[in-house]
Amino acid sequence: MSAPRVSYARVRNRVERLLSGLSEPPVDVEALAASLGAEIRVFKLERDVSGVLYRDRDRKVIVVNAAHSAARRRFTIAHELGHLLLHPGEPVHVDQGARINLRDGVSATAEEVDEVEANAFAASLLMPAAWLRRDVSESGVDVEDSTEIRRLADRYGVSTQAMLVRLASLGAA
């Protein structure tokens, strides 16, 4: 029996449906969460815990770590929305650490397919490929210039590291 595989097409389709009618960053992840019936709560959590997704029949709650930066909290919310929309049936999900890369040593083994998909979902939601390609081509962003990357990251409400990873995954860096 083969190992489960990441479904990037499923991730893309879900994100495209969510972003329908939107065309400019930053994506309001809190409004999207509310539209999906999810409450956002900000609490001080253990340092290595980025977020928690709680759901039952009547309630969906995304908890994010108050100690993390605003950009990291946005990514965590988007990541937990990915779990909410892509991975039904798990009543409580706790994410430790904030992985913004689409692949790492652990996720590359495909043992944590749900985490890879949630990261891909978050990156696609916060930095939609079409929007990013448009912004890079229209403004002629030099991906070697840290000031321009920072400005682009600020426009999308993400960290510089998340922006660099996303640009690389799109072949723009």
Side-chain angles (χ1 to χ4, degrees):
M1 186 151 126
S2 64
R5 301 193 77 127
V6 174
S7 176
Y8 291 107
R10 184 170 66 123
V11 168
R12 259 191 321 275
N13 290 337
R14 284 301 258 169
V15 168
E16 286 173 7
R17 285 194 304 255
L18 273 180
L19 294 176
S20 178
L22 302 176
S23 62
E24 291 293 322
V27 171
D28 188 342
V29 290
E30 291 188 21
L32 280 176
S35 75
L36 296 167
E39 305 169 41
I40 304 295
R41 299 286 180 249
V42 181
F43 292 111
K44 186 166 184 180
L45 304 171
E46 293 295 321
R47 195 176 61 129
D48 65 337
V49 176
S50 298
V52 177
L53 170 61
Y54 168 83
R55 59 184 154 186
D56 64 23
R57 196 173 315 133
D58 303 317
R59 194 167 183 205
K60 300 171 217 150
V61 180
I62 295 171
V63 178
V64 293
N65 196 332
H68 293 172
S69 71
R72 186 167 171 181
R73 287 192 309 267
R74 282 174 44 75
F75 195 92
T76 298
I77 292 167
H79 177 98
E80 299 304 341
L81 286 174
H83 283 305
L84 180 66
L85 295 172
L86 299 171
H87 310 129
E90 187 177 355
V92 177
H93 184 87
V94 178
D95 275 314
Q96 296 194 349
R99 294 194 315 250
I100 59 163
N101 52 321
L102 295 181
R103 294 184 179 273
D104 63 13
V106 174
S107 62
T109 67
E111 290 176 30
E112 296 185 38
V113 170
D114 288 359
E115 291 305 309
V116 176
E117 287 180 342
N119 281 337
F121 181 93
S124 297
L125 182 67
L126 296 175
M127 299 167 280
W131 300 4
L132 204 47
R133 285 186 177 113
R134 177 197 65 210
D135 284 351
V136 167
S137 79
E138 285 179 2
S139 59
V141 172
D142 177 0
V143 295
E144 301 293 321
D145 184 333
S146 62
T147 302
E148 290 184 31
I149 297 300
R150 171 82 259 151
R151 191 174 18 224
L152 196 58
D154 288 346
R155 173 169 162 73
Y156 283 80
V158 299
S159 69
T160 302
Q161 184 181 8
M163 181 56 70
L164 285 169
V165 169
R166 182 65 170 155
L167 288 169
S169 75
L170 296 174

PDB file of all heavy atoms in Angstrom, residues 92-110:
ATOM      1  N   VAL A  92      -9.528  18.013  17.649  1.00  0.00           N
ATOM      2  CA  VAL A  92      -8.567  18.980  18.184  1.00  0.00           C
ATOM      3  C   VAL A  92      -7.252  18.772  17.462  1.00  0.00           C
ATOM      4  O   VAL A  92      -6.769  17.660  17.332  1.00  0.00           O
ATOM      5  CB  VAL A  92      -8.349  18.799  19.705  1.00  0.00           C
ATOM      6  CG1 VAL A  92      -7.302  19.771  20.211  1.00  0.00           C
ATOM      7  CG2 VAL A  92      -9.650  18.974  20.461  1.00  0.00           C
ATOM      8  N   HIS A  93      -6.680  19.875  16.986  1.00  0.00           N
ATOM      9  CA  HIS A  93      -5.393  19.802  16.310  1.00  0.00           C
ATOM     10  C   HIS A  93      -4.491  20.873  16.897  1.00  0.00           C
ATOM     11  O   HIS A  93      -4.848  22.038  16.923  1.00  0.00           O
ATOM     12  CB  HIS A  93      -5.556  20.035  14.801  1.00  0.00           C
ATOM     13  CG  HIS A  93      -4.259  19.873  14.093  1.00  0.00           C
ATOM     14  ND1 HIS A  93      -3.821  18.651  13.640  1.00  0.00           N
ATOM     15  CD2 HIS A  93      -3.285  20.751  13.820  1.00  0.00           C
ATOM     16  CE1 HIS A  93      -2.629  18.805  13.091  1.00  0.00           C
ATOM     17  NE2 HIS A  93      -2.295  20.070  13.190  1.00  0.00           N
ATOM     18  N   VAL A  94      -3.316  20.482  17.398  1.00  0.00           N
ATOM     19  CA  VAL A  94      -2.353  21.425  17.968  1.00  0.00           C
ATOM     20  C   VAL A  94      -1.131  21.445  17.068  1.00  0.00           C
ATOM     21  O   VAL A  94      -0.549  20.406  16.780  1.00  0.00           O
ATOM     22  CB  VAL A  94      -1.936  20.993  19.398  1.00  0.00           C
ATOM     23  CG1 VAL A  94      -0.901  21.954  19.958  1.00  0.00           C
ATOM     24  CG2 VAL A  94      -3.159  20.912  20.307  1.00  0.00           C
ATOM     25  N   ASP A  95      -0.743  22.658  16.632  1.00  0.00           N
ATOM     26  CA  ASP A  95       0.461  22.802  15.828  1.00  0.00           C
ATOM     27  C   ASP A  95       1.575  23.332  16.693  1.00  0.00           C
ATOM     28  O   ASP A  95       1.443  24.397  17.300  1.00  0.00           O
ATOM     29  CB  ASP A  95       0.235  23.762  14.659  1.00  0.00           C
ATOM     30  CG  ASP A  95      -0.367  23.051  13.482  1.00  0.00           C
ATOM     31  OD1 ASP A  95       0.135  21.969  13.148  1.00  0.00           O
ATOM     32  OD2 ASP A  95      -1.338  23.562  12.915  1.00  0.00           O
ATOM     33  N   GLN A  96       2.667  22.595  16.740  1.00  0.00           N
ATOM     34  CA  GLN A  96       3.832  23.042  17.483  1.00  0.00           C
ATOM     35  C   GLN A  96       4.850  23.545  16.486  1.00  0.00           C
ATOM     36  O   GLN A  96       5.101  22.911  15.476  1.00  0.00           O
ATOM     37  CB  GLN A  96       4.402  21.914  18.321  1.00  0.00           C
ATOM     38  CG  GLN A  96       3.415  21.477  19.375  1.00  0.00           C
ATOM     39  CD  GLN A  96       4.056  20.604  20.418  1.00  0.00           C
ATOM     40  OE1 GLN A  96       5.169  20.156  20.279  1.00  0.00           O
ATOM     41  NE2 GLN A  96       3.320  20.377  21.476  1.00  0.00           N
ATOM     42  N   GLY A  97       5.409  24.691  16.793  1.00  0.00           N
ATOM     43  CA  GLY A  97       6.365  25.299  15.893  1.00  0.00           C
ATOM     44  C   GLY A  97       5.647  25.950  14.736  1.00  0.00           C
ATOM     45  O   GLY A  97       4.481  25.686  14.489  1.00  0.00           O
ATOM     46  N   ALA A  98       6.318  26.836  14.059  1.00  0.00           N
ATOM     47  CA  ALA A  98       5.718  27.497  12.906  1.00  0.00           C
ATOM     48  C   ALA A  98       6.552  27.155  11.698  1.00  0.00           C
ATOM     49  O   ALA A  98       7.623  27.693  11.507  1.00  0.00           O
ATOM     50  CB  ALA A  98       5.668  29.009  13.113  1.00  0.00           C
ATOM     51  N   ARG A  99       6.092  26.211  10.926  1.00  0.00           N
ATOM     52  CA  ARG A  99       6.809  25.848   9.717  1.00  0.00           C
ATOM     53  C   ARG A  99       6.165  26.587   8.561  1.00  0.00           C
ATOM     54  O   ARG A  99       4.990  26.413   8.294  1.00  0.00           O
ATOM     55  CB  ARG A  99       6.747  24.345   9.497  1.00  0.00           C
ATOM     56  CG  ARG A  99       7.480  23.582  10.562  1.00  0.00           C
ATOM     57  CD  ARG A  99       7.696  22.151  10.160  1.00  0.00           C
ATOM     58  NE  ARG A  99       6.522  21.552   9.588  1.00  0.00           N
ATOM     59  CZ  ARG A  99       5.799  20.606  10.166  1.00  0.00           C
ATOM     60  NH1 ARG A  99       6.114  20.167  11.342  1.00  0.00           N
ATOM     61  NH2 ARG A  99       4.762  20.089   9.555  1.00  0.00           N
ATOM     62  N   ILE A 100       6.948  27.420   7.901  1.00  0.00           N
ATOM     63  CA  ILE A 100       6.384  28.148   6.778  1.00  0.00           C
ATOM     64  C   ILE A 100       6.816  27.553   5.450  1.00  0.00           C
ATOM     65  O   ILE A 100       6.342  27.951   4.420  1.00  0.00           O
ATOM     66  CB  ILE A 100       6.761  29.641   6.822  1.00  0.00           C
ATOM     67  CG1 ILE A 100       8.271  29.790   6.788  1.00  0.00           C
ATOM     68  CG2 ILE A 100       6.164  30.306   8.034  1.00  0.00           C
ATOM     69  CD1 ILE A 100       8.734  31.138   6.442  1.00  0.00           C
ATOM     70  N   ASN A 101       7.737  26.596   5.515  1.00  0.00           N
ATOM     71  CA  ASN A 101       8.174  25.985   4.272  1.00  0.00           C
ATOM     72  C   ASN A 101       7.199  24.897   3.845  1.00  0.00           C
ATOM     73  O   ASN A 101       6.527  24.305   4.670  1.00  0.00           O
ATOM     74  CB  ASN A 101       9.580  25.412   4.407  1.00  0.00           C
ATOM     75  CG  ASN A 101       9.708  24.504   5.603  1.00  0.00           C
ATOM     76  OD1 ASN A 101       9.151  24.770   6.661  1.00  0.00           O
ATOM     77  ND2 ASN A 101      10.446  23.444   5.449  1.00  0.00           N
ATOM     78  N   LEU A 102       7.123  24.707   2.549  1.00  0.00           N
ATOM     79  CA  LEU A 102       6.214  23.692   2.044  1.00  0.00           C
ATOM     80  C   LEU A 102       6.781  22.289   2.228  1.00  0.00           C
ATOM     81  O   LEU A 102       6.048  21.328   2.236  1.00  0.00           O
ATOM     82  CB  LEU A 102       5.926  23.945   0.564  1.00  0.00           C
ATOM     83  CG  LEU A 102       5.180  25.233   0.289  1.00  0.00           C
ATOM     84  CD1 LEU A 102       4.927  25.375  -1.204  1.00  0.00           C
ATOM     85  CD2 LEU A 102       3.876  25.299   1.049  1.00  0.00           C
ATOM     86  N   ARG A 103       8.077  22.173   2.376  1.00  0.00           N
ATOM     87  CA  ARG A 103       8.699  20.875   2.613  1.00  0.00           C
ATOM     88  C   ARG A 103       9.856  21.063   3.590  1.00  0.00           C
ATOM     89  O   ARG A 103      10.570  22.042   3.541  1.00  0.00           O
ATOM     90  CB  ARG A 103       9.264  20.287   1.315  1.00  0.00           C
ATOM     91  CG  ARG A 103       8.205  19.940   0.327  1.00  0.00           C
ATOM     92  CD  ARG A 103       8.830  19.275  -0.888  1.00  0.00           C
ATOM     93  NE  ARG A 103       7.812  18.921  -1.838  1.00  0.00           N
ATOM     94  CZ  ARG A 103       7.136  17.792  -1.810  1.00  0.00           C
ATOM     95  NH1 ARG A 103       7.346  16.913  -0.892  1.00  0.00           N
ATOM     96  NH2 ARG A 103       6.223  17.541  -2.721  1.00  0.00           N
ATOM     97  N   ASP A 104      10.024  20.104   4.460  1.00  0.00           N
ATOM     98  CA  ASP A 104      11.204  20.056   5.299  1.00  0.00           C
ATOM     99  C   ASP A 104      11.592  18.598   5.437  1.00  0.00           C
ATOM    100  O   ASP A 104      11.006  17.735   4.795  1.00  0.00           O
ATOM    101  CB  ASP A 104      10.971  20.731   6.666  1.00  0.00           C
ATOM    102  CG  ASP A 104       9.917  20.040   7.505  1.00  0.00           C
ATOM    103  OD1 ASP A 104       9.514  18.909   7.185  1.00  0.00           O
ATOM    104  OD2 ASP A 104       9.504  20.634   8.503  1.00  0.00           O
ATOM    105  N   GLY A 105      12.584  18.304   6.259  1.00  0.00           N
ATOM    106  CA  GLY A 105      13.043  16.932   6.386  1.00  0.00           C
ATOM    107  C   GLY A 105      11.949  15.972   6.783  1.00  0.00           C
ATOM    108  O   GLY A 105      11.887  14.849   6.296  1.00  0.00           O
ATOM    109  N   VAL A 106      11.059  16.395   7.662  1.00  0.00           N
ATOM    110  CA  VAL A 106       9.976  15.523   8.118  1.00  0.00           C
ATOM    111  C   VAL A 106       8.858  15.467   7.091  1.00  0.00           C
ATOM    112  O   VAL A 106       8.410  14.389   6.700  1.00  0.00           O
ATOM    113  CB  VAL A 106       9.430  16.010   9.480  1.00  0.00           C
ATOM    114  CG1 VAL A 106       8.206  15.200   9.879  1.00  0.00           C
ATOM    115  CG2 VAL A 106      10.495  15.921  10.546  1.00  0.00           C
ATOM    116  N   SER A 107       8.406  16.629   6.628  1.00  0.00           N
ATOM    117  CA  SER A 107       7.269  16.627   5.709  1.00  0.00           C
ATOM    118  C   SER A 107       7.625  16.009   4.364  1.00  0.00           C
ATOM    119  O   SER A 107       6.768  15.467   3.686  1.00  0.00           O
ATOM    120  CB  SER A 107       6.712  18.039   5.525  1.00  0.00           C
ATOM    121  OG  SER A 107       7.679  18.883   4.961  1.00  0.00           O
ATOM    122  N   ALA A 108       8.890  16.068   3.991  1.00  0.00           N
ATOM    123  CA  ALA A 108       9.298  15.477   2.714  1.00  0.00           C
ATOM    124  C   ALA A 108       9.142  13.963   2.715  1.00  0.00           C
ATOM    125  O   ALA A 108       9.047  13.346   1.666  1.00  0.00           O
ATOM    126  CB  ALA A 108      10.746  15.852   2.392  1.00  0.00           C
ATOM    127  N   THR A 109       9.092  13.363   3.904  1.00  0.00           N
ATOM    128  CA  THR A 109       8.901  11.918   3.977  1.00  0.00           C
ATOM    129  C   THR A 109       7.448  11.547   3.756  1.00  0.00           C
ATOM    130  O   THR A 109       7.117  10.375   3.678  1.00  0.00           O
ATOM    131  CB  THR A 109       9.324  11.375   5.353  1.00  0.00           C
ATOM    132  OG1 THR A 109       8.432  11.883   6.343  1.00  0.00           O
ATOM    133  CG2 THR A 109      10.758  11.726   5.694  1.00  0.00           C
ATOM    134  N   ALA A 110       6.572  12.536   3.675  1.00  0.00           N
ATOM    135  CA  ALA A 110       5.134  12.360   3.461  1.00  0.00           C
ATOM    136  C   ALA A 110       4.469  11.672   4.647  1.00  0.00           C
ATOM    137  O   ALA A 110       3.379  11.156   4.530  1.00  0.00           O
ATOM    138  CB  ALA A 110       4.845  11.619   2.159  1.00  0.00           C
TER     139      ALA A 110
END
